[in-house]
Amino acid sequence: MGFKDLPRGWAERPITDPDIFEDVVDLVASEQSRREGAVYLLLTHPDGRMLQPLAIHDVPPGAPGVDDAHRWRAALDELAQHGACSLVVVRARRGPAERTPDDDALFGVLAAAAEAAGLDVQGQAVATPSGIVTLGPPGTEELSRPA
């Protein structure tokens, strides 16, 4: 499966629907982002349909530092002030399609920033050149699939 396999009408379904989630991540996270690194914030309507994907390309590799946490908090506060209410977070990076401690650190910072901003994190994923790792909402079990 991949983004070319998305069914008709997928945009009318919640992007966290397990039947389409990984394919939507595959569609949004470009190959270049997977090589160079990026974070995607997929803003969603209250019913879970994708509203707008935002790509942030100047994300340093590795675990986020204290300054990074402050920047994420400010960015998510700004989104909430402009009406965002929920999102899915995708980390695009090099490496194998498996969860890493750096991924956990980044998702932890983003989940805390989202909670402080009043945003609901509906799902999390890692996109690499070798596949997608679905982490689900904070605290859920991960599932992975090769590319």
Side-chain angles (χ1 to χ4, degrees):
M1 293 285 287
F3 74 87
K4 293 178 182 175
D5 300 313
L6 279 166
R8 287 184 179 214
W10 70 267
E12 299 304 316
R13 296 164 61 179
I15 62 171
T16 55
D17 178 333
D19 292 335
I20 64 168
F21 182 70
E22 290 180 359
D23 295 333
V24 171
V25 170
D26 192 39
L27 171 68
V28 173
S30 71
E31 291 299 319
Q32 181 176 354
S33 293
R34 296 178 200 204
R35 287 188 308 271
E36 297 175 2
V39 170
Y40 290 87
L41 303 175
L42 310 181
L43 304 181
T44 61
H45 291 279
D47 65 0
R49 291 177 299 118
M50 187 161 56
L51 173 65
Q52 179 69 44
L54 301 173
I56 298 130
H57 293 280
D58 59 347
V59 179
V66 173
D67 289 341
D68 297 319
H70 292 298
R71 283 191 286 275
W72 284 117
R73 171 69 192 271
L76 294 182
D77 280 344
E78 186 73 20
L79 289 173
Q81 288 174 12
H82 284 88
C85 61
S86 56
L87 69 150
V88 169
V89 179
V90 177
R91 181 179 203 174
R93 63 162 173 77
R94 290 181 181 184
E98 59 188 35
R99 185 181 195 154
T100 69
D102 288 346
D103 297 333
D104 288 339
L106 177 65
F107 288 125
V109 164
L110 286 165
E115 182 178 0
L119 298 170
D120 178 33
V121 178
Q122 296 182 334
Q124 302 168 325
V126 175
T128 73
S130 61
I132 308 290
V133 178
T134 300
L135 306 178
T140 61
E141 185 177 323
E142 77 178 79
L143 302 169
S144 63
R145 115 181 124 88

